[in-house]
Amino acid sequence: AQSVTQLDSQVPVFEEAPVELRCNYSSSVSVYLFWYVQYPNQGLQLLLKYLSGSTLVESINGFEAEFNKSQTSFHLRKPSVHISDTAEYFCAVSDGGSYIPTFGRGTSLIVHP
Amino acid sequence: DAGVIQSPRHEVTEMGQEVTLRCKPISGHNSLFWYRQTMMRGLELLIYFNNNVPIDDSGMPEDRFSAKMPNASFSTLKIQPSEPRDSAVYFCASSAGGYTEAFFGQGTRLTVV
């Protein structure tokens, strides 16, 4: 079974600063990788996904993530964060065997003015 | 489509009572997941249905929990009898299957007193 590790439970950062949220997964032959965002009292929303092709994927609101197969990582980055990016971020992995998404524990991104 | 619809949004019940959570997945999706979210354990998969058939229920905590999917547009998660340690946010999610992303409902916040 897949396992997902999000190394940081909380990441505080000032507005307009860059940020990286880390995600590592247990290795598998073929994996599909996702980042979700959860705002308070809401469900999870897909931020971006890697299925195949280019290892760098982007979202519409400036986030990007890079699939690194050798390091089994899928870190999320944004060059300049906004107050509105304050939320919980979840990394998820599914593999070609079960297609069941396994989620990390989440990272709370806190953007300070 | 209105997305995944869960009801109720909030439920407060007394220990020992039966609780039923409801979910309407996105039309056309053939995979349905029930997750439980707590501060202590994060997001845990309870059960996974594919084409209305339970495929993986290894995450169901104990016999007090049961889930059904009588048709493609409705699923229930029942807890009987409920206990205070069942207090959590319960999410339903659906997907088009395979490696496609899961779409989450708004969740049901359950409080057992």
Side-chain angles (χ1 to χ4, degrees), chain A residues 24-92:
Chain A
N24 289 88
Y25 61 92
S26 54
S27 66
S28 179
V29 176
S30 61
V31 292
Y32 309 101
L33 300 157
F34 309 87
W35 276 100
Y36 286 81
V37 60
Q38 184 182 30
Y39 298 103
N41 300 314
Q42 293 189 27
L44 280 70
Q45 305 170 35
L46 182 71
L47 191 59
L48 48 75
K49 62 186 177 183
Y50 169 80
L51 303 179
S52 65
S54 172
T55 57
L56 185 66
V57 291
E58 299 177 351
S59 72
I60 58 174
N61 56 354
F63 283 94
E64 64 179 29
E66 186 162 16
F67 169 52
N68 188 318
K69 187 174 183 178
S70 63
Q71 297 187 3
T72 61
S73 69
F74 191 55
H75 300 331
L76 181 70
R77 293 186 287 264
K78 188 170 186 180
S80 176
V81 295
H82 302 287
I83 295 287
S84 60
D85 293 325
T86 295
E88 191 83 12
Y89 291 79
F90 292 88
C91 181

Side-chain angles (χ1 to χ4, degrees), chain B residues 23-100:
Chain B
C23 174
K24 175 179 168 54
I26 292 173
S27 176
H29 282 186
N30 62 2
S31 294
L32 185 138
F33 310 88
W34 280 100
Y35 286 91
R36 178 172 67 176
Q37 185 178 38
T38 61
M39 289 290 290
M40 292 293 292
R41 302 171 71 94
L43 203 60
E44 306 172 274
L45 177 72
L46 299 177
I47 188 168
Y48 159 54
F49 291 89
N50 185 256
N51 292 322
N52 312 337
V53 176
I55 303 299
D56 184 347
D57 66 354
S58 59
M60 295 287 264
E62 49 199 271
D63 292 345
R64 297 185 298 108
F65 284 68
S66 63
K68 294 182 180 179
M69 192 165 185
N71 56 61
S73 59
F74 184 65
S75 177
T76 60
L77 177 67
K78 185 177 293 186
I79 308 173
Q80 165 63 19
S82 58
E83 297 182 2
R85 61 191 168 119
D86 302 329
S87 297
V89 181
Y90 291 81
F91 286 104
C92 176
S94 70
S95 78
Y99 49 74
T100 58

